[in-house]
Each structure stands twice: as structure tokens, then as C-alpha cells.
């Protein structure tokens, strides 16, 4: 158990819909990262928040957005869903904001999204 | 663009033998690398990391080797066990960029 929790574990929805994925980092960790994992593209970094502020953006679509709240939990919002958005979405946390400084990211169990 | 890729998608190893999983990266500015293990139905789990000022780092039954000249790193697992069966990812980053580039993964199968 990494200490990172994600809800829901599974999500089935239809094209055009909007969903929210939730992540609670490990106790004391200030950074939260979101990743998308699909069969053909592996793990893709989406976005990072550090202590409530956006720190880095990766390959995140404009239809997707995220935020980190004062209690440090984070939400990833996916809107206008398309079939191709079906994937595993992972959240990870780390103690600091700089990956090279802190090293380890701890991953949650993921949310499996299926868009029909 | 940047890429961190793995040479082989699947590696089958006899239980008790050593495993070597390879990874190539394209960004010569990458100076920090991590190996992750992902078991079926679970999130990636940190195994070992290495900074570019090192060429070798050892952990418990695992060793990571870094060759900056050819932009290649490898993960060696000694005395492979059935519990080592998983997908292994390498990831690289550049200090201060806060972003990792992940490889697509190698599936390690341990044969009894």
C-alpha cells in the first residue's frame, strides 16, 4: 500500500460526458501528479500540482483539467469524453515539488475509465 | 521528441536466474532516472533510482547501470523470483522540469 488513494476504482460512462477523478496523496506529501496509462502509449504525464499550485504540464488535453485543494487532495476533471479517453488514470505523490530533488513518486492504485 | 523506450516488450527468465531489462533514452539532458515495477491491477512501484553523476547503483537484489555515452540504462535483478513477474518501466527526467518521460514497459515473466 503506497498511501495514495484514488476514487473511484472503476468508472464507466458515455461519450460526451464529464467525470471527476479524485486523489488523496500520502500524508505529508505536497506534490500530486496525474498520469494516463493506455495500452498503446504507456504512462503519459498529464499535470503536476505542488501545494495547491500548478507546477508542470505534460500531454494534457484542453478537455482535461485538474486542481489541488487546500487539504492537498486533487481532482482530475475529464470533459467531453471520447472513446480514446478510455485508460487507467494514476495519481502519484511526492514529498517535494522537484522530482530530481525528492526522487520517489508513490502511485495510487489507479482509476480505470471506460468510455462507451 | 523526447522518448524513453525499452528494447524488448517481453522477457522470460527461469526462476533463480538473473534478469536484465534494458532502456534507452533520447534526451541527453536527462539526469535522473527511476525504475518502476507494475504488477497486474496495481500502480507503479518505485524500485531504484540513479542520478547521472553515477554509473551504477545497487539495491536489494537489484542493480541499475547507467551509460550516458550511449544513453542507455539497465535494471538487473539477481536470482529472479516468481514475485518479480511484472511490467518494468524506466523513466527519465531533467532536473527542475518536474516531468518524467516513461518508457512503454517490459513484461518480465518468471518461469518455474
Amino acid at each position: 500500500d503506497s498511501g495514495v488513494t484514488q476514487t473511484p476504482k472503476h468508472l464507466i460512462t458515455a461519450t460526451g460526458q464529464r467525470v471527476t477523478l479524485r486523489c488523496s496523496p500520502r500524508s505529508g506529501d505536497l506534490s500530486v501528479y496525474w498520469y494516463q496509462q493506455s495500452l498503446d502509449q504507456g504512462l503519459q504525464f498529464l499535470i503536476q500540482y505542488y501545494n495547491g499550485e500548478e507546477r508542470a504540464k505534460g500531454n494534457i488535453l484542453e478537455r482535461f483539467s485538474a486542481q489541488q485543494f487546500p487539504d492537498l487532495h486533487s481532482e482530475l476533471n475529464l470533459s467531453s469524453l471520447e472513446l480514446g479517453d478510455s485508460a487507467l488514470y494514476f495519481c502519484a505523490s511526492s514529498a517535494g515539488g522537484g522530482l530530481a530533488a525528492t526522487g520517489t513518486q508513490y502511485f495510487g492504485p489507479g482509476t480505470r475509465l471506460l468510455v462507451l | 521528441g523526447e522518448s524513453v523506450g525499452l528494447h524488448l516488450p517481453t522477457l522470460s527468465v527461469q526462476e533463480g536466474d538473473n534478469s536484465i531489462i534494458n532502456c534507452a533514452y533520447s534526451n541527453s539532458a536527462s539526469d535522473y532516472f527511476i525504475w518502476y515495477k507494475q504488477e497486474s491491477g496495481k500502480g507503479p512501484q518505485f524500485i531504484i533510482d540513479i542520478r547521472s553523476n553515477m554509473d551504477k547503483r545497487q539495491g536489494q537484489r537489484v542493480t541499475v547501470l547507467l551509460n550516458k555515452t550511449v544513453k542507455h540504462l539497465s535494471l538487473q535483478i539477481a536470482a529472479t523470483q516468481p514475485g518479480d513477474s511484472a511490467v518494468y518501466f524506466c523513466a527519465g527526467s531533467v532536473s527542475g522540469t518536474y516531468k518524467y518521460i516513461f518508457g512503454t514497459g517490459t513484461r518480465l515473466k518468471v518461469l518455474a
Side-chain angles (χ1 to χ4, degrees), chain A residues 3-25:
Chain A
V4 178
T5 60
Q6 289 186 248
T7 57
K9 191 171 183 179
H10 301 279
L11 196 50
I12 302 175
T13 188
T15 55
Q17 295 298 304
R18 172 190 169 94
V19 297
T20 298
L21 312 183
R22 182 188 169 100
C23 169
S24 292

Side-chain angles (χ1 to χ4, degrees), chain B residues 6-71:
Chain B
L6 292 145
H7 292 313
L8 299 174
T10 303
L11 177 65
S12 296
V13 176
Q14 204 69 32
E15 181 179 355
D17 287 351
N18 296 335
S19 302
I20 299 177
I21 301 171
N22 296 304
C23 180
Y25 62 96
S26 62
N27 187 353
S28 57
S30 297
D31 57 3
Y32 181 68
F33 303 90
I34 295 183
W35 280 99
Y36 282 94
K37 172 186 180 182
Q38 186 175 18
E39 296 175 275
S40 181
K42 297 183 179 179
Q45 177 185 9
F46 173 90
I47 302 174
I48 192 168
D49 60 357
I50 189 167
R51 298 191 185 282
S52 60
N53 61 352
M54 305 171 70
D55 54 19
K56 180 179 180 179
R57 189 164 190 218
Q58 288 184 295
Q60 188 176 15
R61 280 201 308 119
V62 295
T63 300
V64 56
L65 299 177
L66 175 63
N67 186 329
K68 296 180 287 294
T69 302
V70 296
K71 292 184 285 188

